[in-house]
Amino acid sequence: MKLAKNGVETVGAVTGMAGALLLAMPALPGWGFGAFLVSNAAWLVFSAQRRLWRMFAQQCVFLVSSLLGLWNWWLGPLLLG
């Protein structure tokens, strides 16, 4: 069980760092928001497992931000032209 928790934490950290780097690259912002989305989900699992409710709330807001970014950079233009 501890290994699974550490794995979730690692996924959250690595995809969060990747998201920041991708978002900083002008050609790849959509991929950055995708990486952040994975990171947000991992941190939500991690914080819920450890009952870190303030971190959980923060990640909920970040998740909405990631979804909004994906909409603006990828899904919106794809659907709306």
Side-chain angles (χ1 to χ4, degrees):
M1 185 74 158
K2 184 174 181 168
L3 182 60
K5 288 182 183 178
N6 289 339
V8 170
E9 183 180 16
T10 300
V11 168
V14 170
T15 56
M17 289 182 274
L21 291 172
L22 289 166
L23 199 58
M25 301 170 80
L28 303 170
W31 288 100
F33 286 115
F36 275 136
L37 188 66
V38 174
S39 177
N40 300 144
W43 286 119
L44 283 169
V45 170
F46 178 83
S47 59
Q49 288 173 338
R50 300 197 183 220
R51 299 178 187 263
L52 302 170
W53 302 120
R54 289 170 187 85
M55 182 179 182
F56 186 88
Q58 179 187 39
Q59 290 304 315
C60 287
V61 174
F62 288 166
L63 179 70
V64 170
S65 174
S66 297
L67 290 170
L68 183 60
L70 280 173
W71 173 261
N72 287 329
W73 284 98
W74 175 64
L75 195 55
L78 181 69
L79 294 177
L80 303 175

